Amino acid sequence: MIDRKRILIIGGGFGGIATALALVRHGLLAGRQVPPDIKITLVSDKPHFEYFPALYRVVTGKSPLEVCIPLTEIFSGSQVECIVDKITKVVPDEKVAHGASGSRYAFEYLVLALGSETSYFDIPGLQKFSFGFKSITEALRLKRHFHELFSAYKAVSPESRADGLPLLHFVIVGAGASGVELAGELSLYAKRLAKEHGVPESAVEIDLIEAAPMILPAFSSSVALRVADRLRILGVNIFTNRSMVKEETEVIVMRGMEMKADTVIWTAGVKPNEIYKKIKEFSFDKKGKVMVDGYLRATGFPHVFVIGDGASTLYAGMAQTAIHDGTSVAENIKRLVAGEELHAYHPKKPFYSFPVGPGWAATTMGSFSFYGRIGWLMRRLADLRYFFSILPFTKAIAAFRSGDTLCETCPICFPEATKVGPL
């Protein structure tokens, strides 16, 4: 019986996939079959990968096929074992992880790529009354909610319509990248829904709320100002210096103001996955991220790597960072297996791109910034490039093109959705 070296990757997001593919394509395989003494296992709580940068497009009527890619498609023909299970406990000293299924996953080398989850900052009522924006499930729930609101418009009394107040009020809390992208796309989508449902555009209002002095607070003021101008052109109201205090039914309370809203979408807070905090042996920084050494190993554990959103590194929180972390870790695992000297980790500054409605984006690369159609094309090319990196050519093209396909279920917007019969 062969004594296998077991490499366990926990997390099926950008970082976990990058690690596994790098081990297969560029690391342990080097174009050949995985050596018989190596076993690579990826455990994810979902059977698919969710391409989060395009999630806002699902909310506004585009096909989820661009966002949802089965792991079996990504690792087809490889010797990576994919298992769907939710990891509930990791014991680094014993080199074992426990799943909700009751399974135990032993490892020689562990890569934790668990990503992040929504943080509500203990704001009263927020989690109960708001819509999240971190998964396909949440995106589709929000999309369905939009259609229900527009469909119900005709049931509103004429007196209520005549008072001049917006009857369809959407509030997006958090003007980081996700909030900005959603606000831009939603502004045009809402106009389309209004036309389809016979709702006057004046009945729709979209507000973007940010606690910091400007939107996109983590980025340069020049980019933030250009994006803010674009949002205002699209009809989005922007409120800055407004930290949220609490949410009640149809009412949100912020510092210095209170407003009624049909829909509150929370995009403001994220935190490292809860599993990290359960590993008492780890050390953490002030943001709850795991302290790592110069090779992305958890402090004090030379066989445990932490990558992506959960690692205390310079550009943690970006998809490009998670991918870079994964390829770096894969190279060092290959070196550990071969008994070679490790390569130090060097953070790589990502480029940034913020689509603000179809056909317009702000894209920054180093000291250069591109706006409008050029910025948007650069963003779409970056999306396509990523699909090519994880899928065969024809499947990558199919996933990319499906993002341009309307996928509606509302009988008013898409009458064919009510038909029953063979596809």
Side-chain angles (χ1 to χ4, degrees):
M1 183 175 180
I2 298 173
D3 183 18
R4 287 187 164 185
K5 294 182 176 68
R6 292 163 294 194
I7 302 169
L8 177 63
I9 302 166
I10 301 177
F14 285 101
I17 288 173
T19 304
L21 289 178
L23 286 170
V24 170
R25 293 175 179 172
H26 310 299
L28 294 171
L29 273 186
R32 300 182 297 276
Q33 293 252 327
V34 174
D37 62 337
I38 299 295
K39 181 180 180 181
I40 305 171
T41 301
L42 185 147
V43 179
S44 174
D45 60 354
K46 303 180 186 70
H48 58 269
F49 163 65
E50 296 187 356
Y51 187 63
F52 187 75
L55 192 60
Y56 70 95
R57 292 163 62 82
V58 174
V59 175
T60 55
K62 303 301 189 296
S63 170
L65 294 175
E66 183 186 17
V67 178
C68 179
I69 303 175
L71 294 175
T72 52
E73 295 282 352
I74 296 173
F75 295 105
S76 176
S78 77
Q79 290 174 265
V80 175
E81 180 186 25
C82 295
I83 298 175
V84 179
D85 197 358
K86 182 176 176 61
I87 296 300
T88 58
K89 183 179 180 182
V90 177
V91 187
D93 289 328
E94 298 178 11
K95 294 187 176 182
V96 66
H98 299 262
S101 65
S103 299
R104 299 172 77 255
Y105 304 96
F107 57 84
E108 298 298 323
Y109 303 105
L110 172 65
V111 181
L112 291 172
L114 291 161
S116 57
E117 58 190 32
T118 302
S119 173
Y120 294 97
F121 301 134
D122 297 322
I123 298 174
L126 181 58
Q127 185 170 1
K128 180 179 180 180
F129 296 115
S130 68
F131 287 82
F133 190 60
K134 283 286 290 179
S135 69
I136 290 176
T137 300
E138 289 181 331
L140 291 174
R141 173 174 170 253
L142 184 55
K143 173 187 167 186
R144 185 169 59 251
H145 173 71
F146 290 157
H147 283 275
E148 289 171 351
L149 286 178
F150 279 91
S151 296
Y153 173 80
K154 293 181 180 179
V156 177
S157 67
E159 293 77 14
S160 297
R161 299 182 198 174
D163 63 9
L165 294 175
L167 297 176
L168 296 167
H169 189 189
F170 305 104
V171 177
I172 301 169
V173 184
S178 296
V180 163
E181 291 170 359
L182 180 59
E185 193 83 4
L186 179 57
S187 65
L188 297 175
Y189 183 58
K191 291 177 183 177
R192 186 191 135 215
L193 287 181
K195 181 178 180 180
E196 296 287 347
H197 287 260
V199 176
E201 288 187 12
S202 60
V204 180
E205 185 167 321
I206 299 172
D207 294 340
L208 180 61
I209 311 295
E210 173 55 48
M214 68 176 189
I215 67 169
L216 299 174
F219 305 95
S220 71
S221 59
S222 60
V223 172
L225 289 172
R226 288 290 294 268
V227 171
D229 287 343
R230 167 66 175 173
L231 286 169
R232 291 190 179 100
I233 289 172
L234 294 176
V236 177
N237 303 313
I238 298 174
F239 298 88
T240 55
N241 283 313
R242 302 289 181 179
S243 56
M244 194 164 174
V245 176
K246 65 177 178 178
E247 180 179 0
E248 300 170 348
T249 305
E250 298 184 348
V251 177
I252 62 172
V253 181
M254 294 166 289
R255 186 179 65 188
M257 67 183 297
E258 180 177 309
M259 65 171 62
K260 293 184 178 181
D262 298 281
T263 307
V264 176
I265 308 165
W266 178 253
T267 68
V270 294
K271 61 182 179 181
N273 190 288
E274 63 176 359
I275 294 296
Y276 291 117
K277 277 295 185 183
K278 294 180 180 180
I279 307 175
K280 303 299 183 183
E281 299 89 343
F282 282 179
S283 300
F284 302 90
D285 66 12
K286 294 179 180 179
K287 295 181 179 180
K289 297 179 184 291
V290 181
M291 299 296 294
V292 294
D293 64 13
Y295 308 101
L296 292 181
R297 299 179 298 188
T299 303
F301 294 93
H303 57 287
V304 178
F305 295 85
V306 182
I307 66 174
D309 297 2
S312 182
T313 57
L314 183 57
Y315 301 114
M318 296 292 294
Q320 296 164 69
T321 299
I323 295 168
H324 176 63
D325 291 359
T327 56
S328 298
V329 162
E331 172 64 25
N332 275 334
I333 290 177
K334 182 196 74 171
R335 289 179 168 273
L336 284 171
V337 171
E340 299 173 356
E341 185 177 350
L342 301 185
H343 282 174
Y345 171 73
H346 298 287
K348 182 179 179 182
K349 186 175 182 178
F351 78 89
Y352 305 98
S353 186
F354 312 104
V356 189
W360 198 102
T363 299
T364 64
M365 302 181 70
S367 58
F368 298 97
S369 296
F370 306 88
Y371 300 95
R373 174 67 66 171
I374 294 176
W376 182 79
L377 288 172
M378 294 175 72
R379 167 59 185 264
R380 295 299 286 156
L381 286 172
D383 292 337
L384 181 58
R385 180 183 178 186
Y386 181 71
F387 290 140
F388 281 145
S389 74
I390 64 171
L391 292 168
F393 180 84
T394 55
K395 291 182 179 179
I397 292 293
F400 179 76
R401 291 185 64 187
S402 66
D404 297 324
T405 304
L406 289 176
C407 181
E408 303 291 10
T409 54
C410 170
I412 294 176
C413 297
F414 200 64
E416 289 80 358
T418 61
K419 296 180 181 178
V420 177
L423 297 174

Short mmCIF file of all heavy atoms in Angstrom, two decimals, residues 64 111 117 160 164 307 353:
data_model
loop_
_atom_site.label_atom_id
_atom_site.label_comp_id
_atom_site.label_asym_id
_atom_site.label_seq_id
_atom_site.Cartn_x
_atom_site.Cartn_y
_atom_site.Cartn_z
N PRO A 64 -27.42 33.27 -14.35
CA PRO A 64 -26.50 32.82 -13.31
C PRO A 64 -25.41 31.89 -13.83
O PRO A 64 -24.48 31.56 -13.10
CB PRO A 64 -27.42 32.09 -12.32
CG PRO A 64 -28.67 31.81 -13.04
CD PRO A 64 -28.79 32.80 -14.15
N VAL A 111 -4.25 23.83 3.13
CA VAL A 111 -4.43 25.18 2.60
C VAL A 111 -5.83 25.66 2.98
O VAL A 111 -6.82 25.08 2.54
CB VAL A 111 -4.26 25.23 1.06
CG1 VAL A 111 -4.43 26.66 0.55
CG2 VAL A 111 -2.89 24.68 0.65
N GLU A 117 -17.19 36.34 5.01
CA GLU A 117 -18.64 36.27 5.14
C GLU A 117 -19.17 37.63 5.57
O GLU A 117 -18.39 38.52 5.96
CB GLU A 117 -19.04 35.18 6.14
CG GLU A 117 -18.46 35.37 7.52
CD GLU A 117 -18.68 34.17 8.43
OE1 GLU A 117 -18.72 33.04 7.91
OE2 GLU A 117 -18.83 34.39 9.65
N SER A 160 -52.10 57.08 -3.00
CA SER A 160 -50.70 56.91 -2.64
C SER A 160 -49.79 57.25 -3.81
O SER A 160 -48.72 57.82 -3.63
CB SER A 160 -50.45 55.47 -2.18
OG SER A 160 -51.18 55.18 -1.02
N GLY A 164 -46.72 61.95 -4.90
CA GLY A 164 -45.42 62.36 -5.42
C GLY A 164 -44.24 61.67 -4.78
O GLY A 164 -43.09 61.93 -5.16
N ILE A 307 -4.60 31.56 2.89
CA ILE A 307 -4.54 32.44 1.72
C ILE A 307 -5.83 33.23 1.56
O ILE A 307 -6.85 32.91 2.16
CB ILE A 307 -4.25 31.63 0.43
CG1 ILE A 307 -5.42 30.70 0.11
CG2 ILE A 307 -2.96 30.85 0.55
CD1 ILE A 307 -5.27 29.97 -1.23
N SER A 353 -11.23 47.52 -11.10
CA SER A 353 -12.18 47.88 -12.15
C SER A 353 -13.58 47.88 -11.57
O SER A 353 -14.00 46.90 -10.94
CB SER A 353 -12.09 46.89 -13.32
OG SER A 353 -12.91 47.32 -14.39
#
